[in-house]
Amino acid sequence: MITRFVLRALEGKIVVAIGVLLAIAVLVPALNLLVPAGSAFHVPTYAVSLFGKYLCYALLALALDLVWGYCGILSLGHGAFFALGGYAMGMYLMRQIGSRGVYGDPLLPDFMVFLNWKELPWFWYGFDMFPFAMLMVLVVPGLLAFLFGWFAFRSRVNGVYLSIITQAMTYALMLAFFRNDMGFGGNNGLTDYKDILGFSVQAAGTRNVLFALSAIMLALCLLIASAIARSKFGKVLVGVRDAESRVRFLGFRVENIKLFTFVVSAMMAGIAGALFVPQVGIINPGEFAPANSIEVVVWTAVGGRGTLIGPIIGAIVVNAGKSFFTGAFPEFWLYALGGLFIAVTLFLPKGIVGTIQHGWNARKALKAAAEREKGEDTDMMPQAAE
Amino acid sequence: MTTVAETRSKSLLYLENVSVSFDGFKALNALSFVVEPGELRAIIGPNGAGKTTMMDIITGKTRPDTGTVLFEDAIDLTKRDEADIAQLGIGRKFQKPTVFESHTVWDNLELALNRSRGVFATLFYALTGEDRARIEEILETIRLTHRTDELAANLSHGQKQWLEIGMLLAQEPKLLLVDEPVAGMTDAETAETAILLREIAETRSVVVVEHDMGFIRELGVKVTCLAEGAVLAEGSIDFVSSDPKVIENYLGR
Amino acid sequence: MLIRFVTLFFLIISAAAPSLAQSDPKPFIDQLADANFKQAEEIIGQIAATGDARVVPALEAFAEGDLYARKADDVVFITKTSGSKLALVDPLTGESAGEAAKGAMTKIKVNNNLRRAIRDALGALTLMSPDRNARLQAANTMLAAPSEDNLELIETALAKETDGEVRARMEEARAVSLLTSGRSIEEKREAIERIRNYGGRDAIGVLRGAYGSVDASLQPDIDKAIGAIESEIALWDMAQNVWYGLSLGSVLLLAAIGLAITFGVMGIINMAHGEMVMLGAYSTFVVQDLIRSSAPQLFDWSLAIALPVAFLVTAAVGLAIERGVIRFLYGRPLETLLATWGISLILQQAIRSIFGPTNQEVGNPSWMSGSFALGGMNVTWNRMWIIIFSLSIFFALLVLMKKSSFGLQMRAVTQNRRMASSMGIRTPWVDAFTFALGSGIAGIAGVALSQIDNVSPNLGQSYIIDSFMVVVFGGVGNLWGTLVGAMSLGVLNKFLEPWAGAVLGKILVLVLIILFIQKRPRGLFALKGRAVEA
């Protein structure tokens, strides 16, 4: 049953995308570690981490595509799940610092010593264990999504209302995490990590492994998302997006369908956040900012929602653009990003991949129509193929 | 003479004294209405008579302020939601044809099939030979076999109406509620639809809301006329259409 | 000699016009120059009889021994030691009158007898001054510094007092002084009652201070009185909180009211709404800047001038946004949300490029600053004006929507576009102008908010979520809902604040709204029925 579920995911484009991801998971570290620094093919270590960051964003965009592209839920709070996953990882990394912090406290992270705290808060327990922390990377965002979705979908909060309250959710979390009393480092967040599973987070080797893991995780999540999308469940999702009441009157429990998708998507976002944090070296409340979550939406929209591959491409393209602009013309970036929001909604509603797919399908349909006509009427000839 | 209790115990759908109001406007006013198993029933009435609201109440979309709504004399529909009621065996076709436009005709029917609808059941669902045969059979019934792989968005208006009826059939309901099935259809399509509905009614109960008097005459069944949220008249089409109250309220002088 | 002559002259005048003489104490003060103790006591009485409050500093200086006469001409001055010399001050006007060597001046001697006479005179002067305000002030002074010595004086003054307010204040002053005196327990009990009625934090201080010194049988009375005062203060604090809440609510109302039109009435999700507010605030800044440089005398009018400017600027920007982007996206709310977010980014960056990223200084006109007390509450004028302002905008808008033909067309279009258009209403223009109106009102709100918030490119960002919360909470499509929503959220916020802190309070409000929307997805004042679902 599971194998069939997975096999169904392996449609042509998805196979190619997974192949590409796995290839770069090997290739980029190889170009970094094996090719000498002088060579034109050498990838510098900072670039490995930068690409790793893009892949984490791509995973976040993929997660959003599952709820927005397929289920029609425009979440303006997916950054919250990303940040929560990031915080779970950050807490593990903080615990790993041990007595190497500035204050040298073996148990308490520096910021707690600074705040004059005497004991580790209960919610920090267990984060010194890697498996527990990784479990929390999934559980915390998943639980928040479950609680939020449980209330929201049950009471049929829909459309823009849902978008607005997801935005309020991430905004409230941002305000909460800015508070020192919360015990997550307040304004400064969690940073100054030393090592992960005993390997220094600064070391080139660790960075390459993190990069490869990001690529592999993205490939894995793409596989899962594709399997979901191509199952009957995926078809129901699209049904919910296009005609929710029809789905209800067919006897489906729309709230459960949405809830499941929302939770799965939140967990993927959490994974993305967890991979993101050791590669950039910091997590702070700014990640909860509503603007961040909306930016994820534009990556997804640019690439093409409801295509799974599109959001991945969109996230990478937009973020590469951002890196370029903020370096070269910092003034210009917000104009470009703002313009992108407008241009995509007005001129490219299906996004890059969606538009290509649409053109492709239209051609195919035209061809098929021509074929049929040929079959029916062998005298009528080539001009129909145009 | 049958007693109330007998009517109720024999009924498939039983509405008694159902009232609902929206901001002071009484959409249904002590409506009572009974459908027997295997019955094909037509409902007529002017705009605002409460036809759609009645369907909303039966299918769990709207909760009545007061009144009893029973299915098979046992199940209180006012306590169930849409998904529950659909699973109990009540299918509904909307006034505006509502199909999944970005799915193929086949997928539309596959989604509607009366199979386990849980999250994990649908995630790991695989098409069986039995299901395939059932879908093909329905395609035949709704005359869409030749358009199986077409996106529903590309169907004509009439074909969408049929596809929606086909989806209801795939649900295998005991009771079908059909809201204006022939609106926007050509005369030929209308006639064909009448035949289709009569075919369907052989195995289950059907309630049709329609404005098209010609179509209702073609169905040749018991007619209920609603006005201002209550039953105005009930009986054969000739009996109802000669009722002076019906003429005044609906058919026009 | 000359002075003698002048004095004589004055004495003659005073005989001729007693009222004038009585109101000028100067000659009496100068008579002190060569008076003995006995004479001085008489003169003090005469000075007091003038009832002129200007003599107070002179009398006080006399008591302190700072009153000197110039040997040369016997003119009396208040002095201060300044090095080896004495700085001279005119005893009545307080103006400086140069310096004099110590040897050139004679100190006017004072003894305890005189000091008592002076104090009585002072009290009588002020407590029995014909000027009502002087009496009130004297009573207040005594209230603030209770002393047993004042008691008799106050009682004398009380016997003559007719003005209600002054009398009440004197009673209070008497009570406060009585508490620490040697009077009977009964009288003190009454005094405690009096102080309890007076109320306020000072009263608690007085009562606490007297607690140890009074007879033990009075202590329960004091406890009771303190309890009563405390609960009264709590009540005023509550009122103050409601006031703060309404004030915050009016800010929310200002921010949300434009949105109530674009989102509530038209259904457009305008994420650039906050930037319209921001543009309004910047318009105020530009207007003030121009006024400062070219017509500073108009500064108090700057807000009045900024209002139409801000309205026109933001309405024009709104019109451009509607015609340029939004009209292509009707019926696609999520896309509208994204496109307008893009617009908001561009507007923010544009303002940042033009004015820089830092806060701009927007001044308060004089009538916006200061505050006044209302019972136990402190009310600042700028908050007061903002409440008044937001309510007037609200009601103006309400009238526009309900009474004007534009309002009628607007409602027609939003309720049934096709019908409206077939009745000859030019729906695209109604859409455009409605959106421009909503944007313009956001701009006006920006003028007001520039008075209480930092004017920076991020100004709008801080309001956008709150504004949406208000509109959604109040119920979409219902202006009254927006009013009630804004005010109740404001008050709720201010009541949570002391209990949970400002940030946590805000978080709690957000969580409560999120939960509320789950319960009532269409807000407080929801429209019901079939039409809504369609």
Side-chain angles (χ1 to χ4, degrees), chain B residues 96-213:
Chain B
K96 192 171 142 249
T98 314
V99 294
F100 303 124
E101 306 223 331
S102 39
H103 283 318
T104 61
V105 171
W106 180 280
D107 283 347
N108 266 283
L109 293 173
E110 187 185 308
L111 287 185
L113 271 190
N114 184 21
R115 296 291 172 267
S116 174
R117 295 174 178 93
V119 167
F120 294 98
T122 46
L123 267 178
F124 299 113
Y125 170 84
L127 193 66
T128 61
E130 184 194 347
D131 291 354
R132 186 183 301 277
R134 175 78 185 122
I135 293 173
E136 278 163 1
E137 185 192 329
I138 294 168
L139 280 169
E140 205 65 48
T141 314
I142 58 172
R143 293 109 168 117
L144 284 175
T145 310
H146 63 294
R147 311 210 62 173
T148 306
D149 293 326
E150 196 84 46
L151 286 186
N154 299 338
L155 299 181
S156 73
H157 183 78
Q159 285 171 325
K160 280 183 194 167
Q161 300 270 38
W162 284 342
L163 175 57
E164 199 176 2
I165 294 172
M167 289 164 74
L168 297 193
L169 286 178
Q171 256 181 281
E172 293 165 23
K174 294 175 188 146
L175 172 65
L176 253 154
L177 306 172
V178 187
D179 206 346
E180 302 200 13
V182 297
M185 279 191 177
T186 61
D187 286 350
E189 284 173 329
T190 304
E192 193 111 1
T193 306
I195 297 169
L196 180 61
L197 285 179
R198 271 207 304 270
E199 258 174 58
I200 293 168
E202 284 164 16
T203 49
R204 59 205 86 222
S205 303
V206 179
V207 175
V208 184
V209 169
E210 193 42 82
H211 281 298
D212 185 329
M213 293 304 281

Side-chain angles (χ1 to χ4, degrees), chain C residues 128-140:
Chain C
M128 278 168 268
S129 148
D131 178 12
R132 174 188 171 280
N133 288 335
R135 296 200 306 271
L136 190 63
Q137 203 188 338
N140 275 331

Side-chain angles (χ1 to χ4, degrees), chain A residues 267-278:
Chain A
M267 286 178 169
M268 284 188 186
I271 297 172
L275 286 165
F276 173 83
V277 166

Side-chain angles (χ1 to χ4, degrees), chain A residues 1 4-5 8 156 231-233 235-236 238-239 241-243 245-253 260, chain B residues 59 81-84 86-87 92 94 98 100 102-103 107 110-111 117 122-126 164 171:
Chain A
M1 198 163 71
R4 195 171 49 224
F5 170 69
R8 195 160 39 205
R156 305 199 183 166
S231 68
K232 183 174 174 182
F233 182 83
K235 290 175 189 166
V236 179
V238 174
R241 182 189 73 191
D242 293 346
S245 56
R246 176 80 278 166
V247 177
R248 252 182 233 288
F249 286 116
L250 284 180
F252 290 98
R253 296 225 155 267
F260 175 81
Chain B
T59 53
D81 67 2
E82 295 102 314
D84 259 345
Q87 288 179 14
R92 176 177 184 186
F94 296 103
T98 314
F100 303 124
S102 39
H103 283 318
D107 283 347
E110 187 185 308
L111 287 185
R117 295 174 178 93
T122 46
L123 267 178
F124 299 113
Y125 170 84
E164 199 176 2
Q171 256 181 281

Side-chain angles (χ1 to χ4, degrees), chain A residues 116-383:
Chain A
N116 232 342
W117 290 16
K118 298 289 175 241
E119 276 173 52
L120 198 65
W122 61 267
F123 47 83
W124 275 77
Y125 282 110
F127 276 93
D128 50 334
M129 292 177 284
F130 187 73
F132 177 80
M134 291 309 100
L135 189 67
M136 288 301 119
V137 162
L138 294 174
V139 168
V140 175
L143 196 65
L144 175 66
F146 183 84
L147 288 176
F148 188 87
W150 173 270
F151 287 113
F153 302 141
R154 198 147 290 266
S155 41
R156 305 199 183 166
V157 182
N158 264 335
V160 289
Y161 290 89
L162 191 76
S163 301
I164 291 170
I165 64 169
T166 51
Q167 188 174 43
M169 173 193 79
T170 191
Y171 182 62
L173 279 168
M174 177 181 77
L175 293 178
F177 273 75
F178 266 124
R179 286 160 45 89
N180 279 329
D181 309 358
M182 276 287 284
F184 295 105
N187 224 341
N188 301 322
L190 309 176
T191 186
D192 288 334
Y193 311 131
K194 300 287 189 249
D195 50 32
I196 176 167
L197 287 172
F199 302 99
S200 163
V201 288
Q202 299 298 332
T206 319
R207 287 174 168 266
N208 278 299
V209 169
L210 284 170
F211 173 86
L213 270 178
S214 306
I216 292 167
M217 260 305 162
L218 180 56
L220 185 67
C221 289
L222 179 60
L223 185 73
I224 293 171
S226 169
I228 291 175
R230 294 179 59 78
S231 68
K232 183 174 174 182
F233 182 83
K235 290 175 189 166
V236 179
L237 278 187
V238 174
V240 171
R241 182 189 73 191
D242 293 346
E244 182 172 328
S245 56
R246 176 80 278 166
V247 177
R248 252 182 233 288
F249 286 116
L250 284 180
F252 290 98
R253 296 225 155 267
V254 170
E255 55 273 18
N256 293 355
I257 291 164
K258 286 181 170 176
L259 191 58
F260 175 81
T261 318
F262 199 56
V263 169
V264 168
S265 169
M267 286 178 169
M268 284 188 186
I271 297 172
L275 286 165
F276 173 83
V277 166
Q279 298 190 70
V280 298
I282 185 168
I283 176 79
N284 65 29
E287 292 297 331
F288 285 104
N292 282 20
S293 293
I294 294 199
E295 228 176 276
V296 183
V297 175
V298 88
W299 307 336
T300 310
V302 166
R305 62 184 153 120
T307 61
L308 297 181
I309 296 176
I312 296 177
I313 295 174
I316 295 174
V317 167
V318 176
N319 279 295
K322 183 179 188 171
S323 299
F324 169 73
F325 273 122
T326 47
F329 318 98
E331 280 260 300
F332 197 68
W333 166 242
L334 279 182
Y335 290 122
L337 185 64
L340 199 59
F341 271 101
I342 301 168
V344 165
T345 44
L346 284 185
F347 307 117
L348 209 65
K350 292 177 199 298
I352 299 170
V353 172
T355 307
I356 295 172
Q357 227 169 45
H358 185 73
W360 189 259
N361 287 346
R363 250 184 82 136
K364 234 170 43 185
L366 219 64
K367 260 196 191 141
E371 293 286 322
R372 250 206 315 275
E373 235 157 77
K374 245 196 290 185
E376 279 164 13
D377 190 349
T378 31
D379 303 329
M380 283 275 292
M381 277 292 288
Q383 75 271 29

